[in-house]
Amino acid sequence: MIIPIASDHAGFPAKEITKNILEEMGHEVIDFGTHSEESVDYADFAVQVAEKVNNGDHELGILICGSGQGVCMTANKYPKVRAGLVYSKHSAEMTRLHNNANVLCLPGRELNESQIKEILEIWLTTEFEGGRHERRINKIESLTQQK
């Protein structure tokens, strides 16, 4: 799978770890930056991945900042993006299983390499359960279409 990824300066070290893990898993990574720990605005990078997922260019994307919150808030401004802040194995599973998240947002300052690897493995392999959750996802999409 081709996966676009981006981070701000606070998420840069975790982004580099994430890229390596994804490549080891056999995925192709498109890196939209940032490319250092020099201070930048997270929104400038989050929109690049969110636009690719929103437009259907890519099925899934990954965003990383210090807390994961800023990139998640930015990505969720797009009507077809369902970005989820993931900080544990359980949240990784649930954002895919029940929420059909298509953008993974990680708190780069909070996770070590083994945690990131576990989260990626779960998030990328968990299938959306559908059923009653489909109705809820459709409600979210209808709300964003009204704006």
Side-chain angles (χ1 to χ4, degrees), residues 104-138:
L104 171 65
C105 299
L106 296 172
R109 288 184 171 151
E110 305 296 324
L111 302 172
N112 63 39
E113 185 171 351
S114 66
Q115 291 170 311
I116 292 170
K117 185 174 183 172
E118 287 177 334
I119 286 168
L120 289 171
E121 288 171 348
I122 292 167
W123 198 80
L124 291 169
T125 59
T126 300
E127 298 279 332
F128 178 51
E129 191 173 64
R132 69 186 190 278
H133 305 293
E134 184 75 37
R135 181 182 77 246
R136 296 167 183 157
I137 298 306
N138 291 339

mmCIF file of all heavy atoms in Angstrom, residues 104-138:
data_model
loop_
_atom_site.group_PDB
_atom_site.id
_atom_site.type_symbol
_atom_site.label_atom_id
_atom_site.label_comp_id
_atom_site.label_asym_id
_atom_site.label_seq_id
_atom_site.Cartn_x
_atom_site.Cartn_y
_atom_site.Cartn_z
ATOM 1 N N LEU A 104 -4.457 7.998 10.556
ATOM 2 C CA LEU A 104 -3.911 7.666 11.862
ATOM 3 C C LEU A 104 -3.129 8.867 12.369
ATOM 4 O O LEU A 104 -2.216 9.338 11.691
ATOM 5 C CB LEU A 104 -2.989 6.453 11.743
ATOM 6 C CG LEU A 104 -2.143 6.066 12.950
ATOM 7 C CD1 LEU A 104 -3.032 5.637 14.110
ATOM 8 C CD2 LEU A 104 -1.169 4.957 12.562
ATOM 9 N N CYS A 105 -3.484 9.358 13.559
ATOM 10 C CA CYS A 105 -2.766 10.474 14.169
ATOM 11 C C CYS A 105 -2.062 9.967 15.420
ATOM 12 O O CYS A 105 -2.696 9.377 16.299
ATOM 13 C CB CYS A 105 -3.728 11.599 14.536
ATOM 14 S SG CYS A 105 -4.585 12.272 13.100
ATOM 15 N N LEU A 106 -0.766 10.193 15.471
ATOM 16 C CA LEU A 106 0.043 9.682 16.564
ATOM 17 C C LEU A 106 0.649 10.802 17.397
ATOM 18 O O LEU A 106 1.082 11.822 16.842
ATOM 19 C CB LEU A 106 1.185 8.820 16.011
ATOM 20 C CG LEU A 106 0.785 7.552 15.269
ATOM 21 C CD1 LEU A 106 2.008 6.921 14.610
ATOM 22 C CD2 LEU A 106 0.109 6.576 16.219
ATOM 23 N N PRO A 107 0.716 10.602 18.729
ATOM 24 C CA PRO A 107 1.398 11.554 19.605
ATOM 25 C C PRO A 107 2.897 11.221 19.654
ATOM 26 O O PRO A 107 3.337 10.390 20.447
ATOM 27 C CB PRO A 107 0.716 11.333 20.960
ATOM 28 C CG PRO A 107 0.314 9.890 20.935
ATOM 29 C CD PRO A 107 0.017 9.565 19.493
ATOM 30 N N GLY A 108 3.658 11.850 18.808
ATOM 31 C CA GLY A 108 5.069 11.514 18.647
ATOM 32 C C GLY A 108 5.900 11.591 19.901
ATOM 33 O O GLY A 108 6.853 10.838 20.064
ATOM 34 N N ARG A 109 5.558 12.486 20.792
ATOM 35 C CA ARG A 109 6.346 12.642 22.019
ATOM 36 C C ARG A 109 5.972 11.621 23.093
ATOM 37 O O ARG A 109 6.607 11.564 24.133
ATOM 38 C CB ARG A 109 6.171 14.041 22.578
ATOM 39 C CG ARG A 109 6.871 15.097 21.757
ATOM 40 C CD ARG A 109 6.752 16.451 22.387
ATOM 41 N NE ARG A 109 7.607 17.414 21.693
ATOM 42 C CZ ARG A 109 7.352 18.695 21.609
ATOM 43 N NH1 ARG A 109 6.276 19.208 22.185
ATOM 44 N NH2 ARG A 109 8.165 19.496 20.966
ATOM 45 N N GLU A 110 4.944 10.833 22.842
ATOM 46 C CA GLU A 110 4.436 9.917 23.861
ATOM 47 C C GLU A 110 4.726 8.448 23.590
ATOM 48 O O GLU A 110 4.510 7.618 24.468
ATOM 49 C CB GLU A 110 2.908 10.090 23.985
ATOM 50 C CG GLU A 110 2.448 11.503 24.257
ATOM 51 C CD GLU A 110 2.922 12.040 25.592
ATOM 52 O OE1 GLU A 110 2.993 11.258 26.564
ATOM 53 O OE2 GLU A 110 3.244 13.237 25.662
ATOM 54 N N LEU A 111 5.177 8.113 22.384
ATOM 55 C CA LEU A 111 5.313 6.709 22.001
ATOM 56 C C LEU A 111 6.754 6.345 21.690
ATOM 57 O O LEU A 111 7.472 7.117 21.051
ATOM 58 C CB LEU A 111 4.454 6.415 20.771
ATOM 59 C CG LEU A 111 2.955 6.696 20.897
ATOM 60 C CD1 LEU A 111 2.281 6.553 19.539
ATOM 61 C CD2 LEU A 111 2.319 5.774 21.925
ATOM 62 N N ASN A 112 7.151 5.128 22.088
ATOM 63 C CA ASN A 112 8.471 4.636 21.713
ATOM 64 C C ASN A 112 8.340 3.766 20.456
ATOM 65 O O ASN A 112 7.230 3.513 19.971
ATOM 66 C CB ASN A 112 9.141 3.895 22.872
ATOM 67 C CG ASN A 112 8.376 2.654 23.295
ATOM 68 O OD1 ASN A 112 7.842 1.907 22.465
ATOM 69 N ND2 ASN A 112 8.323 2.410 24.602
ATOM 70 N N GLU A 113 9.448 3.295 19.951
ATOM 71 C CA GLU A 113 9.451 2.534 18.694
ATOM 72 C C GLU A 113 8.595 1.280 18.761
ATOM 73 O O GLU A 113 7.844 0.976 17.826
ATOM 74 C CB GLU A 113 10.875 2.183 18.297
ATOM 75 C CG GLU A 113 10.972 1.502 16.950
ATOM 76 C CD GLU A 113 12.400 1.343 16.459
ATOM 77 O OE1 GLU A 113 13.324 1.905 17.059
ATOM 78 O OE2 GLU A 113 12.560 0.642 15.437
ATOM 79 N N SER A 114 8.671 0.533 19.845
ATOM 80 C CA SER A 114 7.883 -0.706 19.926
ATOM 81 C C SER A 114 6.393 -0.407 20.005
ATOM 82 O O SER A 114 5.584 -1.138 19.422
ATOM 83 C CB SER A 114 8.332 -1.577 21.103
ATOM 84 O OG SER A 114 8.066 -0.953 22.337
ATOM 85 N N GLN A 115 6.010 0.668 20.671
ATOM 86 C CA GLN A 115 4.595 1.058 20.717
ATOM 87 C C GLN A 115 4.105 1.471 19.337
ATOM 88 O O GLN A 115 3.002 1.101 18.922
ATOM 89 C CB GLN A 115 4.389 2.197 21.704
ATOM 90 C CG GLN A 115 4.576 1.791 23.150
ATOM 91 C CD GLN A 115 4.611 2.996 24.066
ATOM 92 O OE1 GLN A 115 5.319 3.977 23.826
ATOM 93 N NE2 GLN A 115 3.830 2.928 25.135
ATOM 94 N N ILE A 116 4.915 2.234 18.623
ATOM 95 C CA ILE A 116 4.537 2.655 17.268
ATOM 96 C C ILE A 116 4.351 1.431 16.379
ATOM 97 O O ILE A 116 3.371 1.337 15.633
ATOM 98 C CB ILE A 116 5.585 3.623 16.677
ATOM 99 C CG1 ILE A 116 5.565 4.957 17.426
ATOM 100 C CG2 ILE A 116 5.344 3.839 15.181
ATOM 101 C CD1 ILE A 116 6.717 5.890 17.082
ATOM 102 N N LYS A 117 5.268 0.475 16.473
ATOM 103 C CA LYS A 117 5.164 -0.735 15.645
ATOM 104 C C LYS A 117 3.894 -1.507 15.960
ATOM 105 O O LYS A 117 3.180 -1.936 15.040
ATOM 106 C CB LYS A 117 6.389 -1.628 15.849
ATOM 107 C CG LYS A 117 6.402 -2.830 14.939
ATOM 108 C CD LYS A 117 7.676 -3.607 15.042
ATOM 109 C CE LYS A 117 7.615 -4.753 14.039
ATOM 110 N NZ LYS A 117 8.873 -5.455 13.941
ATOM 111 N N GLU A 118 3.578 -1.700 17.227
ATOM 112 C CA GLU A 118 2.349 -2.407 17.609
ATOM 113 C C GLU A 118 1.112 -1.691 17.080
ATOM 114 O O GLU A 118 0.197 -2.320 16.549
ATOM 115 C CB GLU A 118 2.241 -2.507 19.137
ATOM 116 C CG GLU A 118 3.182 -3.481 19.773
ATOM 117 C CD GLU A 118 3.073 -3.482 21.286
ATOM 118 O OE1 GLU A 118 2.676 -2.471 21.898
ATOM 119 O OE2 GLU A 118 3.396 -4.534 21.867
ATOM 120 N N ILE A 119 1.094 -0.378 17.228
ATOM 121 C CA ILE A 119 -0.047 0.416 16.762
ATOM 122 C C ILE A 119 -0.205 0.277 15.253
ATOM 123 O O ILE A 119 -1.312 0.050 14.752
ATOM 124 C CB ILE A 119 0.102 1.885 17.189
ATOM 125 C CG1 ILE A 119 -0.173 2.016 18.699
ATOM 126 C CG2 ILE A 119 -0.818 2.803 16.382
ATOM 127 C CD1 ILE A 119 0.205 3.354 19.296
ATOM 128 N N LEU A 120 0.878 0.407 14.512
ATOM 129 C CA LEU A 120 0.810 0.300 13.053
ATOM 130 C C LEU A 120 0.310 -1.078 12.619
ATOM 131 O O LEU A 120 -0.536 -1.166 11.722
ATOM 132 C CB LEU A 120 2.177 0.580 12.428
ATOM 133 C CG LEU A 120 2.658 2.019 12.478
ATOM 134 C CD1 LEU A 120 4.106 2.111 12.015
ATOM 135 C CD2 LEU A 120 1.759 2.925 11.655
ATOM 136 N N GLU A 121 0.837 -2.122 13.232
ATOM 137 C CA GLU A 121 0.411 -3.471 12.868
ATOM 138 C C GLU A 121 -1.084 -3.660 13.080
ATOM 139 O O GLU A 121 -1.785 -4.200 12.219
ATOM 140 C CB GLU A 121 1.204 -4.510 13.673
ATOM 141 C CG GLU A 121 2.643 -4.621 13.225
ATOM 142 C CD GLU A 121 3.510 -5.478 14.129
ATOM 143 O OE1 GLU A 121 3.071 -5.832 15.250
ATOM 144 O OE2 GLU A 121 4.652 -5.784 13.723
ATOM 145 N N ILE A 122 -1.577 -3.193 14.195
ATOM 146 C CA ILE A 122 -3.008 -3.332 14.493
ATOM 147 C C ILE A 122 -3.840 -2.438 13.584
ATOM 148 O O ILE A 122 -4.827 -2.881 13.002
ATOM 149 C CB ILE A 122 -3.279 -3.014 15.984
ATOM 150 C CG1 ILE A 122 -2.663 -4.101 16.860
ATOM 151 C CG2 ILE A 122 -4.773 -2.876 16.253
ATOM 152 C CD1 ILE A 122 -2.592 -3.746 18.334
ATOM 153 N N TRP A 123 -3.451 -1.183 13.461
ATOM 154 C CA TRP A 123 -4.251 -0.218 12.700
ATOM 155 C C TRP A 123 -4.347 -0.607 11.225
ATOM 156 O O TRP A 123 -5.398 -0.479 10.609
ATOM 157 C CB TRP A 123 -3.668 1.190 12.860
ATOM 158 C CG TRP A 123 -4.616 2.278 12.498
ATOM 159 C CD1 TRP A 123 -5.618 2.788 13.261
ATOM 160 C CD2 TRP A 123 -4.640 3.016 11.268
ATOM 161 N NE1 TRP A 123 -6.270 3.796 12.591
ATOM 162 C CE2 TRP A 123 -5.685 3.951 11.363
ATOM 163 C CE3 TRP A 123 -3.874 2.970 10.109
ATOM 164 C CZ2 TRP A 123 -5.996 4.845 10.342
ATOM 165 C CZ3 TRP A 123 -4.181 3.864 9.084
ATOM 166 C CH2 TRP A 123 -5.227 4.781 9.209
ATOM 167 N N LEU A 124 -3.255 -1.092 10.680
ATOM 168 C CA LEU A 124 -3.245 -1.433 9.252
ATOM 169 C C LEU A 124 -3.896 -2.774 8.934
ATOM 170 O O LEU A 124 -4.227 -3.028 7.781
ATOM 171 C CB LEU A 124 -1.812 -1.398 8.722
ATOM 172 C CG LEU A 124 -1.185 -0.004 8.650
ATOM 173 C CD1 LEU A 124 0.306 -0.104 8.371
ATOM 174 C CD2 LEU A 124 -1.888 0.855 7.603
ATOM 175 N N THR A 125 -4.097 -3.621 9.920
ATOM 176 C CA THR A 125 -4.682 -4.931 9.653
ATOM 177 C C THR A 125 -6.109 -5.087 10.171
ATOM 178 O O THR A 125 -6.773 -6.071 9.840
ATOM 179 C CB THR A 125 -3.817 -6.064 10.256
ATOM 180 O OG1 THR A 125 -3.712 -5.877 11.664
ATOM 181 C CG2 THR A 125 -2.434 -6.086 9.620
ATOM 182 N N THR A 126 -6.590 -4.148 10.950
ATOM 183 C CA THR A 126 -7.948 -4.242 11.482
ATOM 184 C C THR A 126 -8.945 -3.767 10.430
ATOM 185 O O THR A 126 -8.799 -2.682 9.875
ATOM 186 C CB THR A 126 -8.104 -3.410 12.776
ATOM 187 O OG1 THR A 126 -7.178 -3.903 13.746
ATOM 188 C CG2 THR A 126 -9.520 -3.496 13.321
ATOM 189 N N GLU A 127 -9.930 -4.594 10.167
ATOM 190 C CA GLU A 127 -10.975 -4.268 9.189
ATOM 191 C C GLU A 127 -12.148 -3.573 9.877
ATOM 192 O O GLU A 127 -12.475 -3.894 11.026
ATOM 193 C CB GLU A 127 -11.482 -5.551 8.524
ATOM 194 C CG GLU A 127 -10.433 -6.310 7.755
ATOM 195 C CD GLU A 127 -10.181 -5.746 6.379
ATOM 196 O OE1 GLU A 127 -11.115 -5.147 5.799
ATOM 197 O OE2 GLU A 127 -9.050 -5.900 5.891
ATOM 198 N N PHE A 128 -12.795 -2.676 9.180
ATOM 199 C CA PHE A 128 -14.004 -2.017 9.671
ATOM 200 C C PHE A 128 -15.095 -3.064 9.861
ATOM 201 O O PHE A 128 -15.356 -3.888 8.992
ATOM 202 C CB PHE A 128 -14.450 -0.944 8.675
ATOM 203 C CG PHE A 128 -15.699 -0.222 9.038
ATOM 204 C CD1 PHE A 128 -15.874 0.355 10.293
ATOM 205 C CD2 PHE A 128 -16.725 -0.085 8.118
ATOM 206 C CE1 PHE A 128 -17.028 1.038 10.620
ATOM 207 C CE2 PHE A 128 -17.881 0.604 8.423
ATOM 208 C CZ PHE A 128 -18.032 1.162 9.689
ATOM 209 N N GLU A 129 -15.740 -3.027 11.010
ATOM 210 C CA GLU A 129 -16.765 -4.013 11.356
ATOM 211 C C GLU A 129 -18.083 -3.788 10.607
ATOM 212 O O GLU A 129 -18.854 -4.724 10.396
ATOM 213 C CB GLU A 129 -16.994 -3.966 12.867
ATOM 214 C CG GLU A 129 -17.827 -5.088 13.407
ATOM 215 C CD GLU A 129 -17.856 -5.062 14.932
ATOM 216 O OE1 GLU A 129 -18.385 -4.091 15.505
ATOM 217 O OE2 GLU A 129 -17.337 -6.022 15.526
ATOM 218 N N GLY A 130 -18.359 -2.562 10.229
ATOM 219 C CA GLY A 130 -19.617 -2.279 9.529
ATOM 220 C C GLY A 130 -20.808 -2.402 10.459
ATOM 221 O O GLY A 130 -20.740 -2.040 11.626
ATOM 222 N N GLY A 131 -21.918 -2.914 9.943
ATOM 223 C CA GLY A 131 -23.125 -3.099 10.748
ATOM 224 C C GLY A 131 -23.613 -1.792 11.345
ATOM 225 O O GLY A 131 -23.715 -0.789 10.649
ATOM 226 N N ARG A 132 -23.887 -1.803 12.627
ATOM 227 C CA ARG A 132 -24.405 -0.608 13.298
ATOM 228 C C ARG A 132 -23.433 0.565 13.203
ATOM 229 O O ARG A 132 -23.843 1.717 13.242
ATOM 230 C CB ARG A 132 -24.733 -0.919 14.755
ATOM 231 C CG ARG A 132 -23.531 -1.185 15.624
ATOM 232 C CD ARG A 132 -23.940 -1.634 17.037
ATOM 233 N NE ARG A 132 -22.838 -1.686 17.961
ATOM 234 C CZ ARG A 132 -21.976 -2.694 18.078
ATOM 235 N NH1 ARG A 132 -22.107 -3.750 17.302
ATOM 236 N NH2 ARG A 132 -21.009 -2.661 18.963
ATOM 237 N N HIS A 133 -22.149 0.264 13.036
ATOM 238 C CA HIS A 133 -21.143 1.314 12.935
ATOM 239 C C HIS A 133 -21.218 2.042 11.593
ATOM 240 O O HIS A 133 -20.890 3.220 11.505
ATOM 241 C CB HIS A 133 -19.749 0.735 13.159
ATOM 242 C CG HIS A 133 -19.647 -0.004 14.450
ATOM 243 N ND1 HIS A 133 -19.735 0.613 15.676
ATOM 244 C CD2 HIS A 133 -19.493 -1.330 14.698
ATOM 245 C CE1 HIS A 133 -19.625 -0.291 16.633
ATOM 246 N NE2 HIS A 133 -19.487 -1.484 16.059
ATOM 247 N N GLU A 134 -21.682 1.346 10.572
ATOM 248 C CA GLU A 134 -21.838 1.965 9.242
ATOM 249 C C GLU A 134 -22.817 3.128 9.307
ATOM 250 O O GLU A 134 -22.590 4.188 8.730
ATOM 251 C CB GLU A 134 -22.308 0.923 8.231
ATOM 252 C CG GLU A 134 -22.399 1.445 6.806
ATOM 253 C CD GLU A 134 -21.029 1.600 6.172
ATOM 254 O OE1 GLU A 134 -20.145 0.767 6.413
ATOM 255 O OE2 GLU A 134 -20.847 2.580 5.419
ATOM 256 N N ARG A 135 -23.905 2.934 10.029
ATOM 257 C CA ARG A 135 -24.911 3.991 10.186
ATOM 258 C C ARG A 135 -24.282 5.233 10.832
ATOM 259 O O ARG A 135 -24.535 6.351 10.420
ATOM 260 C CB ARG A 135 -26.067 3.456 11.030
ATOM 261 C CG ARG A 135 -27.199 4.448 11.261
ATOM 262 C CD ARG A 135 -28.322 3.886 12.145
ATOM 263 N NE ARG A 135 -27.921 3.879 13.548
ATOM 264 C CZ ARG A 135 -27.722 2.785 14.295
ATOM 265 N NH1 ARG A 135 -27.894 1.587 13.779
ATOM 266 N NH2 ARG A 135 -27.356 2.885 15.555
ATOM 267 N N ARG A 136 -23.457 5.018 11.803
ATOM 268 C CA ARG A 136 -22.830 6.130 12.516
ATOM 269 C C ARG A 136 -21.820 6.863 11.638
ATOM 270 O O ARG A 136 -21.753 8.093 11.667
ATOM 271 C CB ARG A 136 -22.173 5.597 13.786
ATOM 272 C CG ARG A 136 -23.215 5.032 14.735
ATOM 273 C CD ARG A 136 -22.619 4.217 15.836
ATOM 274 N NE ARG A 136 -23.691 3.648 16.659
ATOM 275 C CZ ARG A 136 -23.555 2.589 17.410
ATOM 276 N NH1 ARG A 136 -22.391 1.956 17.463
ATOM 277 N NH2 ARG A 136 -24.564 2.144 18.124
ATOM 278 N N ILE A 137 -21.068 6.113 10.870
ATOM 279 C CA ILE A 137 -20.111 6.723 9.942
ATOM 280 C C ILE A 137 -20.856 7.547 8.898
ATOM 281 O O ILE A 137 -20.443 8.650 8.541
ATOM 282 C CB ILE A 137 -19.232 5.637 9.267
ATOM 283 C CG1 ILE A 137 -18.410 4.883 10.294
ATOM 284 C CG2 ILE A 137 -18.350 6.238 8.184
ATOM 285 C CD1 ILE A 137 -17.552 5.719 11.200
ATOM 286 N N ASN A 138 -21.971 7.017 8.409
ATOM 287 C CA ASN A 138 -22.782 7.756 7.429
ATOM 288 C C ASN A 138 -23.321 9.055 8.022
ATOM 289 O O ASN A 138 -23.429 10.061 7.324
ATOM 290 C CB ASN A 138 -23.919 6.882 6.908
ATOM 291 C CG ASN A 138 -23.418 5.753 6.033
ATOM 292 O OD1 ASN A 138 -22.317 5.813 5.487
ATOM 293 N ND2 ASN A 138 -24.213 4.708 5.909
#
